[in-house]
Structures are given as structure tokens and as C-alpha cells.
Amino acid sequence: MPDRIVVVGMGCDGAPLSDRAMAAVTGADLVVGAPRHLAAAAGRGQRTVELGADVAGALEVVGAAAGRVCVLATGDPGFFGIVRALAERFGSSGLEVHPAVSSVAAAFARVGLPWDDAAVVSAHGRPLEDAVAVAGRAPKAAVLVSPENPPEAVGKALLAAAAPGRRVHVCSQLGTGAEAVVETDLEGLAAGTWDPRSVVILLSPSADLVATAPVLAFGLPEDRFEHRGGMVTKSEVRAVVLARLALPPRGVLWDVGAGSGSVAVEAAGLAPGLSVYAVEADAGQAARSRRNAAGHGVALHVVAGRAPGALDGLPDPDRAFVGGGGVEVLDAVLDRLRPGGRVVATFAALDRAAEAEVRLGHLVQVGVARGERLPDGGLRLAAQNPVFVVWGPDE
């Protein structure tokens, strides 16, 4: 185990390292970094190890080293960078971090725009569909790309998801002699061949200065979803379910017995960083879930199969909504729930809801009466069937 791990960011503005950062490099017994970083900052007699796609292997080398280790990275290594992996492996108390200008900061600087209101997502070592789900909905976004998911792949995925039109800036090789900033649109982004060492900036027409924040709406009307004969979670019940789920910004959400997918789709829109899985036994309903996800521009993993068997192979959930399958399915979900997670379930029958309450701890009846106009213009309240919402455990 090393005595100290120092992480030094190499600035995307081309600026030299600070005195403290340079001292960290020259005083290290082992320097780890990409070949271009090692060529620029190391080479002073220390042992060096190249940091490539095998991050886990590099972490093993770092863990086995003695003395002081310096890890070189691009820009701000705490921003979608190596600091996360190092802190998870070795603890944050053993890290000393010297950040530099990040590629995203440099990219927005090149196009003369602020970015405190931008959504920043990464397709570098992460699923492209998750990045596209966020970027496609944000008025202002930056996408970090990679050789596996280059800029043109982002453009093609956005067009396939029917994302609204965007002005696009592809900012490549920032801080180098080959730097290039090209303005285009989604069609041009998809049709081009771009350097994978790029940041892709996506702008809606109204995002020149300050982007307008999206409206946070719980319980979208039922007519916003394709459904079969009213088989959709009613908007008022859905609002309560989503509130009780207390959606985290990242993690895994299961919607088990998803039906037309209204809960899963709305959750994916409210928390785009979640990986959302909709599990549905009926093939027609599963297809509706896919169409509803596409219509709302969100990423949704639809699993056509009957729970609990269909849950095998899915990543363990941080949150789960059980809209069908009864207590047997609820037990299967609880067996897989991650520590600190939460499950919400809905029932039409009180006896089944009571069984679920024993397991989860909380129960409420949601009774709704909607206003309807009479033929003579008067207003009456039309009662909907009551639904029991059960949730827990407490966080």
C-alpha cells in the first residue's frame, strides 16, 4: 500500500503544471498515467506505468506500490475522472488531488458560454443510452465521448431517440496544437467522422445564455401514455408512488408488473441518471412500455417476462415499484434490494396490502374523486377506485 497517492490533472488549457503539482510528480516513486501524460510530465527517473482501458489493473499496481504514487489524468480528475475509482478503492483520506481546467470548462470557454446550468454526462466507459437520455432532454448539455462512443455515435443515438433539434459544437483535442471547434447540427454530428478526444456541446435555441430549468412534474395525465383500456396507473396514484420512491439521482430502479410503463417512464424522466428496468409479462404491454419511453425521450430497459423469474440477471435495485404479482413478487424484490433501498407497492385488495404492510411498514389508501361536468353544466365528483400504497423500509 502506498504512503500517499497524489492525483495531478493536466490542464486542457495548455497551461504548465503548478509548482505544487510539479513537485508531486518529481517527488513520486511511481507515476501512473496515459502515454501522452507520462511523456509530458514524467521521465525523471521514476518508475512509470501506463494507464489505459484496464483501470482495474492499474489500481492493482497502485495498491501494491510502496512510497509515493502520482497518478496523472486529464483536466479535473474529480470530474468523471480517476478520483472516484481511487477513493472507492483506497479511501479519500489517502488522496491528494491537484485539479486543472477540465475539458468541459475549456469547451464552454471556447464557445463563450457559461456552463453552471448545463447537464454534463459521460459516454466514456458508461452506457451511451444513459448519456443520450439526459442530453436529449436538457436545454444545454455536454457529452464526454470515447473511442467506443465517439461524437457521431452520440448524434445517431439522439436522432434515433427523436431528440429535438440542437445546435452542436464539437470541441476536439482541446489545449493541443490540433485543437478544433466545429459548429454543426444533429444531422451533421451523426453523419461526420469526429475525433473521439472531444467534448460535444448540445444547445437548444433558447440556451445561448442561461438554460431554462425543466419543470419537475409528478403524476402526468394518463393521456400522456399509450395504454390498453385504462390499464395505467392513475396520475394521482402515480404521484404518490413517485414521491414515496424518493428517487435517487443514480442507481437502479425496477418497475415490476410495469403494464404500459407509466411509472418507469416518468421516473426515468425525473431522474435521468437512474437505470430503469420495466418488467412485464404481457408482450403487448411490454411493447407499449417501449413506445411510451420513446415518446417521452427516456432510456428504459424493458424486460418481457414474468416475475419473479424475469428478475434473474438484472442488477440489484436501489428502488423498486411493484405494481403486479402480489406478495410473492414483493418478497423476491426485497431479497434483492440493496442496503438503504426502498420498495413501493400498490394493491386493489386490502388483505394483500396488509400482508405487504407487515413487510414494508407503511400503508396509505389513496382515494380520488375527480370533478366531472353534468349535462346541465353542474359539477359532480366521480369517485375512482381506491388504491392502497405500501412502502418501506425506512432509509
Side-chain angles (χ1 to χ4, degrees):
M1 182 76 178
D3 299 331
R4 189 74 170 165
I5 301 173
V6 183
V7 190
V8 174
M10 310 286 286
C12 291
D13 55 355
L17 295 179
S18 67
D19 291 343
R20 289 184 64 192
M22 182 58 73
V25 178
T26 58
D29 301 297
L30 170 67
V31 182
V32 180
R36 67 182 185 279
H37 296 147
L38 294 174
R44 294 171 175 80
Q46 311 105 315
R47 179 186 170 210
T48 61
V49 172
E50 289 190 2
L51 176 62
D54 184 14
V55 175
L59 294 180
E60 290 295 331
V61 174
V62 170
R68 292 177 62 87
V69 175
C70 178
V71 179
L72 302 176
T74 299
D76 184 348
F79 186 73
F80 288 106
I82 193 66
V83 167
R84 181 183 301 276
L86 290 168
E88 290 175 349
R89 176 68 180 273
F90 304 110
S92 59
S93 62
L95 301 183
E96 176 185 326
V97 182
H98 298 270
V101 173
S102 70
S103 58
V104 174
F108 276 104
R110 296 299 190 270
V111 299
L113 290 176
W115 63 287
D116 53 338
D117 55 348
V120 181
V121 292
S122 177
H124 194 293
R126 295 171 171 84
L128 176 61
E129 60 267 24
D130 292 350
V132 166
V134 177
R137 296 167 60 88
K140 179 189 290 186
V143 184
L144 300 169
V145 297
S146 67
E148 295 77 22
N149 293 315
E152 55 267 31
V154 174
K156 292 172 183 175
L158 285 167
L159 290 177
R166 291 285 192 272
R167 290 188 295 110
V168 180
H169 296 272
V170 183
C171 305
S172 306
Q173 298 274 2
L174 293 167
T176 73
E179 178 178 305
V181 178
V182 178
E183 184 172 356
T184 182
D185 54 19
L186 287 183
E187 289 74 14
L189 180 65
T193 300
W194 307 92
D195 193 313
R197 287 180 56 190
S198 300
V199 176
V200 178
I201 294 177
L202 305 166
L203 302 169
S204 69
S206 62
D208 285 334
L209 296 176
V210 179
T212 302
V215 175
L216 184 63
F218 279 69
L220 297 174
E222 291 97 276
D223 60 10
R224 294 285 299 278
F225 301 94
E226 178 188 340
H227 55 86
R228 182 182 67 195
M231 293 182 64
V232 60
T233 303
K234 298 300 185 286
S235 60
E236 295 86 358
V237 175
R238 197 176 336 110
V240 173
V241 166
L242 290 166
R244 295 308 185 195
L245 279 170
L247 298 171
R250 293 178 180 83
V252 174
L253 168 68
W254 289 356
D255 181 353
V256 184
S260 57
S262 63
V263 171
V265 168
E266 192 164 352
L270 292 168
L274 281 175
S275 294
V276 182
Y277 293 80
V279 181
E280 173 55 45
D282 184 276
Q285 289 285 65
R288 287 186 181 88
S289 291
R290 293 188 183 93
R291 291 194 293 270
N292 280 324
H296 286 259
V298 300
L300 188 64
H301 306 280
V302 178
V303 180
R306 186 174 302 278
L311 306 178
D312 296 341
L314 300 185
D316 291 345
D318 300 278
R319 297 290 188 273
F321 170 58
V322 180
V327 176
E328 177 192 4
V329 172
L330 176 61
D331 286 338
V333 171
L334 285 169
D335 286 343
R336 296 280 302 279
L337 188 67
R338 288 178 177 170
R342 174 175 287 195
V343 177
V344 178
T346 54
F347 299 89
L350 178 57
D351 55 341
R352 295 178 182 175
E355 289 184 71
E357 190 276 337
V358 172
R359 292 158 170 78
L360 299 178
H362 302 278
L363 180 150
V364 67
Q365 175 187 299
V366 179
V368 175
R370 294 179 174 177
E372 292 184 354
R373 286 292 173 186
L374 297 170
D376 64 0
L379 184 67
R380 76 181 186 100
L381 290 176
Q384 307 294 306
N385 290 330
V387 175
F388 300 99
V389 180
V390 189
W391 72 94
D394 288 324
E395 293 183 323

